[in-house]
Amino acid sequence: METDPYARLFQMLDLSHKVLRRGCRQIDRHAPTLTQADVPAFVGYCIAFVKNIEEHHKQEEELMFPVFAAKVGGVATRLEEHKLVAEALRTFSAHLHALDPSTLPSPPSSPPAALGYDPSTFLDAFSPIRDVVIPHMTSEDGDISPATLRAGGVSEAEVRGVIRAMAVAGRATDRTVGLAFMLVHMGTDERAVFFGNVPWFLRDYVFPSFTLWNGAYWKFASTED
């Protein structure tokens, strides 16, 4: 785990971005060959993916961007990209709920019939997310690199404050969806780095137990780039 605060922040965000890139790749990989029997679990996996992006962007918008906005030129552009991602997520979520109406936030007493799964239609709903979020994360990696933050005059104290705030926010993450999604897309060494400040017995024993909930979802996950 990095001890330099600039490098540590970059390390945390880089690993978060790797998880999202892996999620994008796994959706692209499984969608074309999905069986009807696997649709409910795959929909659950995709909803977890959506929630992970939403939570990641929420933390950036509330805890990181306000600190860096005046000193890092790319932040305004990244915020505009967040709006595009959010719109794409809403469209994709609507498609997921149509595939499995039981996943609606407030399922009606007489839910509509489930939409039949069609790979082409599904990927049409998903591709706007992938096409925006992948280049967005690449650009963001440059915006929050140690060299960029130092060149912009972001202080060490400001970076440490962002790291602390994100750590606190992370404790409120849904353990069986948000945290579990992170865990199943990280290798053992990556977990040790990302959760470096977490006591080992929590990181190595308690946290993995959260992946037992919604276990059918995680067969679609991968730790490979």
Side-chain angles (χ1 to χ4, degrees):
M1 185 181 76
E2 294 285 354
T3 55
D4 172 77
Y6 297 92
R8 175 57 179 161
L9 179 62
F10 181 81
Q11 188 177 58
M12 292 167 61
L13 291 174
D14 178 58
L15 285 170
S16 295
H17 288 169
K18 281 186 176 179
V19 165
L20 295 177
R21 288 187 180 98
R22 290 166 184 169
C24 282
R25 190 193 60 251
Q26 290 303 104
I27 292 172
D28 270 329
R29 174 188 172 193
H30 290 288
T33 58
L34 195 69
T35 66
Q36 193 61 43
D38 276 334
V39 168
F42 191 58
V43 167
Y45 174 82
C46 292
I47 289 174
F49 167 81
V50 167
K51 290 181 176 179
N52 197 270
I53 294 183
E54 290 175 336
E55 178 61 27
H56 178 71
H57 281 186
K58 181 174 184 287
Q59 289 188 22
E60 289 181 336
E61 291 170 9
E62 294 181 356
L63 307 174
M64 186 175 75
F65 288 168
V67 178
F68 298 162
K71 300 178 180 180
V72 179
V75 168
T77 302
R78 302 294 82 78
L79 277 167
E80 289 304 308
E81 291 167 353
H82 275 203
K83 294 176 184 178
L84 295 176
V85 174
E87 181 59 33
L89 289 173
R90 283 191 287 271
T91 299
F92 186 49
S93 293
H95 187 72
L96 294 172
H97 295 318
L99 287 170
D100 186 353
S102 70
T103 63
L104 286 163
S106 299
S109 56
S110 299
L115 181 71
Y117 180 78
D118 174 71
S120 179
T121 305
F122 183 91
L123 288 170
D124 284 345
F126 170 68
S127 62
I129 300 174
R130 177 233 300 131
D131 293 346
V132 174
V133 83
I134 296 296
H136 162 76
M137 290 189 294
T138 300
S139 297
E140 194 170 86
D141 288 343
D143 292 336
I144 51 86
S145 71
T148 301
L149 295 183
R150 285 192 169 99
V154 178
S155 71
E156 189 170 308
E158 287 174 318
V159 175
R160 290 187 187 279
V162 170
I163 293 172
R164 284 194 299 270
M166 285 187 155
V168 171
R171 294 173 197 149
T173 300
D174 185 326
R175 300 288 192 268
T176 62
V177 177
L179 177 59
F181 189 89
M182 296 285 289
L183 291 168
V184 297
H185 292 89
M186 284 184 179
T188 302
D189 291 344
E190 290 172 328
R191 292 183 187 183
V193 168
F194 189 84
F195 300 103
N197 292 322
V198 176
W200 66 269
F201 60 89
L202 289 177
R203 183 188 67 225
D204 297 341
Y205 292 97
V206 177
F207 282 8
S209 71
F210 296 130
T211 64
L212 299 177
W213 280 268
N214 304 315
Y217 300 176
W218 313 134
K219 69 179 179 179
F220 300 107
S222 174
T223 59
E224 297 178 359
D225 290 319

